[in-house]
Amino acid sequence: MNQRQHRATILEVAREAGVSKTSVSRYYSGERERLSTAMQERIVAAATALGYQPNPMARGLKGGPSGLIGMLVADIHNPYSVAIMHGVEKACRQAGLSLMLCNSDNDLDQERQQLALLSSYRIEGLVVNAAGRHSDALAQLAASGTPMVLLDRSLKGVDVDEVGLDNATAIDMAIDHLVEQGYTRLLFVSEPPAQASSRQARLERFETQCRARALDAQTLALELKDHQALDAALARHVDHPHPSCAVLCANGQVTLAVARRMKYLGYPLGEIGLMGIDELEWCDLTDPGITTLEQPTDLIGQAAVDCLKQRSSHQATAARRHMFAPTLVPRGSTQRPLATSSLPEISS
């Protein structure tokens, strides 16, 4: 017999738990801190027994709190985006909120369309990893009073809370580690910095610190698909009279691109140092492993959601910046360089 399965209601949960309908509604609308621990446990037990599933969209359509947090990422293929999404989703779940995710593919037109979509669902807050350039749509949303936090990238004209990596500390930690390991010739590789404030901050800090320390250092900014330019830059950097060279990569995608080209060119990791910002799952699988600076993505995600909650409850006034230090994960790719080098010659 094909009977439609009964969907448990909030009223049935309230009766089963022996609490009011309002209490159940508060539990699922992000106000559970107003309920006692015992009452929360009874509501969870009742909802589990009845198979109750909250409907955040229905709450939004009725004009009440939707329980929805929107998140817009610039590049869903980026491992950093995946890690930070997990941190935000985990924080939302703990707060009784649901996360709605959109991807802009680093395209301003897509960013506008996705922001319009998120706004149509009556989101209660928005976490944005922006495409990197000025966005009228984001500025208008911020001006409308929608709680918003910028993730990793800041934007001129959008005066909202920001969370992300402490880029200055990260670069300082990377240079300290490479110098301590004996590398005296450094190359910093980045994607084009104009597209993201975090790239600009890391590149500028590297240049400033290397000048202050009188280090032999160069920078390279390019599209990662340009293998010819990357190979040529690596060949110039890896110079026989200077065996103690190291490459610092601005993010995880750069680390992957450089590691591939170093393997192709036959440059041995460790003798030629390699270090990247962002921890990636494969970094400990390569031989001898790649040294990284791991971002605390769960903490960053939690901070983003906390900012939105405080904005929603009017607990905050001026825009704030919450920047987090990374953790050094040392591996064999930055072992102390050898006194002599037997690097392969690169044919012209």
Side-chain angles (χ1 to χ4, degrees):
M1 185 167 59
N2 247 345
Q3 287 188 337
R4 187 176 179 180
Q5 186 176 5
H6 171 70
R7 184 185 181 94
T9 67
I10 195 169
L11 181 58
E12 290 171 334
V13 174
R15 288 172 178 168
E16 178 75 13
V19 300
S20 68
K21 182 179 176 181
T22 301
S23 295
V24 179
S25 179
R26 283 175 176 166
Y27 180 86
Y28 285 107
S29 64
E31 299 181 82
R32 59 182 64 178
E33 67 275 1
R34 300 177 62 180
L35 308 175
S36 69
T37 302
M39 186 176 291
Q40 292 184 44
E41 291 174 350
R42 293 207 304 275
I43 291 172
V44 171
T48 302
L50 295 171
Y52 173 72
Q53 294 292 330
N55 188 341
M57 286 184 62
R59 292 204 305 270
L61 292 171
K62 290 176 183 176
S66 66
L68 277 175
I69 296 297
M71 184 173 183
L72 179 63
V73 297
D75 181 7
I76 203 167
H77 293 102
N78 191 321
Y80 169 79
S81 297
V82 176
I84 209 70
M85 279 188 288
H86 177 265
V88 172
E89 191 280 328
K90 181 179 177 181
C92 284
R93 192 170 0 111
Q94 291 172 347
L97 301 167
S98 299
L99 184 66
M100 184 174 184
L101 176 70
C102 291
N103 171 46
S104 71
D105 269 337
N106 280 308
D107 182 88
L108 280 179
D109 288 334
Q110 275 296 316
E111 186 173 271
R112 282 191 288 270
Q113 293 177 33
Q114 301 296 353
L115 286 171
L117 172 65
L118 288 167
S119 298
S120 71
Y121 282 95
R122 294 175 53 87
I123 54 173
E124 295 185 31
L126 182 62
V127 180
V128 181
N129 174 227
R133 288 148 287 175
H134 177 71
S135 169
D136 291 333
L138 276 173
Q140 290 169 4
L141 264 179
S144 73
T146 299
M148 185 186 303
V149 59
L150 290 178
L151 181 68
D152 185 57
R153 301 174 178 180
S154 57
L155 292 173
K156 291 182 179 179
V158 183
D159 188 27
V160 297
D161 294 334
E162 298 177 24
V163 298
L165 181 69
D166 185 332
N167 293 302
T169 297
I171 293 298
D172 291 355
M173 289 174 62
I175 295 175
D176 286 344
H177 174 72
L178 292 172
V179 170
E180 288 169 2
Q181 292 299 101
Y183 296 100
T184 59
R185 181 176 169 85
L186 307 183
L187 173 66
F188 182 81
V189 182
S190 170
E191 296 173 274
Q195 298 177 14
S197 62
S198 55
R199 296 178 194 170
Q200 296 171 15
R202 294 171 193 178
L203 180 61
E204 291 171 3
R205 184 69 176 188
F206 179 85
E207 292 176 334
T208 300
Q209 287 296 95
C210 288
R211 281 197 302 268
R213 303 182 190 204
L215 295 175
D216 182 0
Q218 300 292 325
T219 61
L220 174 67
L222 79 171
E223 296 290 348
L224 298 182
K225 293 180 180 179
D226 191 350
H227 294 168
Q228 185 175 3
L230 182 54
D231 288 356
L234 289 172
R236 288 194 302 270
H237 180 62
V238 179
D239 195 337
H240 285 272
H242 299 277
S244 54
C245 336
V247 181
L248 174 59
C249 301
N251 61 37
Q253 290 178 303
V254 177
T255 305
L256 177 58
V258 171
R260 282 174 169 166
R261 301 319 297 170
M262 286 181 66
K263 181 178 181 181
Y264 173 79
L265 295 170
Y267 294 157
L269 289 180
E271 293 182 29
I272 305 301
L274 178 62
M275 183 175 183
I277 297 176
D278 292 340
E279 170 70 354
L280 305 170
E281 289 186 354
W282 56 269
C283 283
D284 64 346
L285 300 178
T286 60
D287 187 19
I290 296 176
T291 297
T292 63
L293 290 174
E294 182 177 10
Q295 296 200 44
T297 50
D298 279 359
L299 289 178
I300 294 172
Q302 181 66 61
V305 175
D306 287 345
C307 284
L308 296 180
K309 290 169 64 179
Q310 291 168 11
R311 290 290 170 190
S312 296
S313 59
H314 307 289
Q315 295 178 24
T317 51
R320 299 153 303 166
R321 298 179 76 247
H322 300 274
M323 301 293 115
F324 294 82
T327 300
L328 175 66
V329 184
R331 298 190 177 100
S333 69
T334 56
Q335 66 190 14
R336 188 172 298 278
L338 302 177
T340 58
S341 176
S342 56
L343 300 177
E345 294 185 2
I346 306 299
S347 57
S348 56

